[in-house]
Amino acid sequence: DAGITQSPRHKVTETGTPVTLRCHQTENHRYMYWYRQDPGHGLRLIHYSYGVKDTDKGEVSDGYSVSRSKTEDFLLTLESATSSQTSVYFCAINKEQGANLYNEQFFGPGTRLTVL
Amino acid sequence: SQKIEQNSEALNIQEGKTATLTCNYTNYSPAYLQWYRQDPGRGPVFLLLIRENEKEKRKERLKVTFDTTLKQSLFHITASQPADSATYLCALDHNTNAGKSTFGDGTTLTVKP
């Protein structure tokens, strides 16, 4: 499982509150990703990171921000949660060998977020 | 933008038969195509990757084909077992050097004993 953990695993919050989800890996991989998964939409990329302090937007980045101050942690923040952000959030890493990516993603267990 | 269609939301087959799942894409061909398995309440698990210059890839009872002319990948599970019941996701990577993949919605396979 590439040593990926996510916290919290479940969270219920109210509209307008800030929420931060944490992804932690133990193998020092450079590339990390945040996805959301919703019925009928599959997995959609929110943001990704290719190193400490290096991040970029994905397909559905509006309303989300990320930070990566250490190789092992990638944080996803909802500045002001909305009901449309109710979803299951997955973190993933992409293993590399030297400068080459394996292009095989390894996922964490997910965080189920409910925004009331 | 790239669009991915997986043939059906659900596929039911009898144990021992071969399951065939389809992944179709539009627009330009990806550099890589991946298949993942996802069980309820869990994250996807990587199964196989096939490159654009490869026609077929096998791993134990799994076989993936990649037809860039048809813009299609087929995923086969031979001698299927009830334990193969899961949702299978197809994903494309356009070799952006960032490892970003675009995922299909998945096909839920149920293998009945």
Side-chain angles (χ1 to χ4, degrees):
Chain A
D1 63 358
I4 305 170
T5 57
Q6 293 185 231
S7 58
R9 294 294 313 280
H10 302 271
K11 186 170 181 67
V12 179
T13 190
E14 294 187 352
T15 297
T17 60
V19 176
T20 295
L21 308 182
R22 179 180 183 242
C23 177
H24 179 80
Q25 58 145 329
T26 59
E27 298 183 357
N28 293 322
H29 296 292
R30 256 190 331 138
Y31 284 83
M32 299 183 75
Y33 311 83
W34 275 109
Y35 292 90
R36 61 178 290 174
Q37 187 173 39
D38 306 287
H41 290 281
L43 280 160
R44 292 181 290 174
L45 182 65
I46 305 172
H47 282 279
Y48 69 99
S49 170
Y50 46 97
V52 173
K53 293 186 168 50
D54 292 322
T55 65
D56 204 350
K57 296 179 180 180
E59 177 188 355
V60 290
S61 59
D62 287 348
Y64 302 94
S65 62
V66 289
S67 65
R68 191 161 178 207
S69 58
K70 299 185 290 184
T71 300
E72 58 265 37
D73 289 325
F74 192 28
L75 304 181
L76 177 70
T77 297
L78 291 66
E79 301 290 349
S80 178
T82 67
S83 58
S84 64
Q85 293 176 312
T86 292
S87 186
V88 180
Y89 290 86
F90 287 102
C91 172
I93 62 96
N94 204 329
K95 294 190 176 184
E96 69 268 16
Q97 184 175 34
N100 299 314
L101 287 174
Y102 281 120
N103 291 294
E104 303 166 9
Q105 296 200 17
F106 293 83
F107 287 80
T111 294
R112 185 172 295 275
L113 176 67
T114 303
V115 183
L116 301 175
Chain B
S1 62
Q2 186 69 278
K3 185 177 179 183
I4 302 169
E5 289 184 355
Q6 296 194 235
N7 59 324
S8 60
E9 288 189 6
L11 179 64
N12 298 312
I13 64 169
Q14 207 66 34
E15 183 176 8
K17 301 292 185 183
T18 296
T20 298
L21 286 66
T22 304
C23 176
N24 294 297
Y25 58 91
T26 59
N27 301 331
Y28 47 93
S29 286
Y32 310 92
L33 192 146
Q34 304 138 345
W35 284 90
Y36 292 81
R37 170 184 173 138
Q38 187 173 23
D39 292 286
R42 302 178 73 94
V45 174
F46 172 80
L47 295 175
L48 280 169
L49 177 149
I50 188 165
R51 292 175 171 77
E52 61 181 335
N53 61 350
E54 298 176 320
K55 297 290 185 187
E56 182 178 300
K57 187 75 79 72
R58 291 176 185 261
K59 178 181 177 183
E60 297 173 350
R61 294 184 296 112
L62 308 180
K63 185 178 85 171
V64 172
T65 63
F66 194 4
D67 189 327
T68 55
T69 301
L70 292 178
K71 296 189 176 180
Q72 181 180 83
S73 174
L74 299 179
F75 177 79
H76 306 274
I77 306 175
T78 58
S80 60
Q81 305 164 359
D84 295 327
S85 298
T87 297
Y88 292 86
L89 306 173
C90 163
L92 310 180
D93 186 325
H94 296 289
N95 198 21
T96 57
N97 294 320
K100 296 188 295 180
S101 293
T102 302
F103 283 81
D105 290 353
T107 297
T108 298
L109 172 67
T110 301
V111 181
K112 303 190 178 193

